[in-house]
Amino acid sequence: MKLIWLLLPVFSLFGVTGCRAQQKRAEAKPVNDAIYTYGDTSADGIGKYYLGREIAHVMGAAGSAWLERADRQQEENTALAIAKMDVSPSAIVADIGAGTGYYSFKLSEKLPKGKVYAVEIQDEMIAALEKRKAASRNRNVTIIKGSAVSPNLPAHSVDLAIMVDVYHELEYPYEMLQSIKSALKKDGKILLIEYRGEDPAVHIKALHKTTVAQLNKELSANGFTLYYKGNFLPMQHFLLYEKK
């Protein structure tokens, strides 16, 4: 595996960087901040914990080129991840933390009669999404500006919500999961694609990896249960959750 994984930070698909990250945290209005604990801050964390897991520090628009790197398909097999998403051609999919739209626009090709909500919080990323949409003349990607506590999706509108290397950096995971649950249709599901925390061979910084046990604990606490676990990606979990 290339040394790039050891040397480069894992860039967030849903967040801001530097002073703006602190500003967003100050502006966010959580439903119940008492569910979080605060302690020692790791080099890559924010010192805020959810169910025993320190939330990873976010990085943002500076990572755009990394999200679009030429060897991402080879390293992560993103085509296989998309192929394994079991959605109908008319499905409504929300790509939460869409970043540059790497997944959003590829997914839209799978949904000729459906729609992709590309949800982002950063103005820079939203501008990139709009530019990409205009250049491709895409008609079934809708760009939505989310917040730290909500993706701002219509209620009961989404068949599948995906987060690709995003969940571990959500500053308010409880609030986000509750908001996503409200946006899902009755049989809607959440897909988490996260670097495998159990695997020391995955050379990603520790806080940017997650274990199945931890994810199951957090999703269960928010009314979800594991529906399908895929072990086919080179470095990532493919975990599909349904509402209890």
Side-chain angles (χ1 to χ4, degrees):
M1 186 177 298
K2 293 186 177 181
L3 288 177
I4 188 171
W5 295 103
L6 292 168
L7 299 176
L8 288 180
V10 178
F11 291 101
S12 169
L13 304 185
F14 193 64
V16 292
T17 185
C19 294
R20 294 193 60 191
Q22 296 175 3
Q23 181 181 8
K24 288 292 182 181
R25 286 197 288 273
E27 292 172 355
K29 297 179 180 179
V31 174
N32 182 10
D33 200 48
I35 64 174
Y36 302 104
T37 57
Y38 298 83
D40 294 338
T41 303
S42 302
D44 301 306
I46 64 172
K48 179 178 178 179
Y49 293 75
Y50 183 54
L51 297 179
R53 174 185 63 86
E54 186 180 6
I55 296 169
H57 182 71
V58 299
M59 289 189 176
S64 296
W66 185 81
L67 296 175
E68 297 289 337
R69 65 194 186 278
D71 51 3
R72 184 173 181 181
Q73 162 59 27
Q74 179 182 354
E75 292 171 343
E76 298 182 3
N77 204 344
T78 56
L80 179 60
I82 292 172
K84 290 289 188 177
M85 295 180 194
D86 187 14
V87 290
S88 73
S90 59
I92 308 299
V93 177
D95 181 9
I96 299 172
T100 57
Y102 182 92
Y103 266 86
S104 299
F105 289 91
K106 288 178 170 61
L107 261 171
S108 72
E109 298 172 4
K110 192 172 181 173
L111 307 170
K113 298 180 181 180
K115 179 186 293 185
V116 175
Y117 289 121
V119 181
E120 251 301 332
I121 193 172
Q122 299 180 82
D123 292 335
E124 298 93 336
M125 290 294 198
I126 289 174
L129 287 166
E130 291 174 343
K131 183 177 179 179
R132 188 169 191 164
K133 178 178 171 71
S136 63
R137 297 184 180 179
N138 179 280
R139 295 183 177 181
N140 64 340
V141 172
T142 298
I143 300 163
I144 294 180
K145 183 166 185 175
S147 75
V149 296
S150 172
N152 294 332
L153 294 166
H156 314 301
S157 65
V158 175
D159 294 292
L160 177 67
I162 72 168
M163 284 183 273
V164 181
D165 302 324
V166 169
Y167 179 78
H168 62 277
E169 293 179 338
L170 294 179
E171 189 180 355
Y172 294 96
Y174 167 78
E175 289 83 356
M176 283 294 294
L177 287 173
Q178 292 302 313
S179 183
I180 293 169
K181 185 162 63 173
S182 296
L184 291 176
K185 295 179 182 179
K186 181 179 179 180
D187 297 324
K189 295 177 175 60
I190 291 180
L191 172 64
L192 299 183
I193 297 179
E194 287 274 320
Y195 291 109
R196 296 193 297 269
E198 306 89 340
D199 189 352
V202 176
H203 297 296
I204 294 293
K205 293 179 179 182
L207 291 188
H208 293 274
K209 302 196 294 182
T210 48
T211 66
V212 174
Q214 182 67 31
L215 291 170
N216 284 348
K217 179 165 68 171
E218 296 185 27
L219 271 289
S220 178
N222 286 277
F224 294 92
T225 187
L226 185 62
Y227 176 82
Y228 173 74
K229 176 185 175 184
N231 297 314
F232 45 80
L233 296 178
M235 297 186 294
Q236 295 153 302
H237 293 302
F238 184 100
L239 303 173
L240 189 64
Y241 293 89
E242 64 179 351
K243 292 190 282 187
K244 291 182 181 178

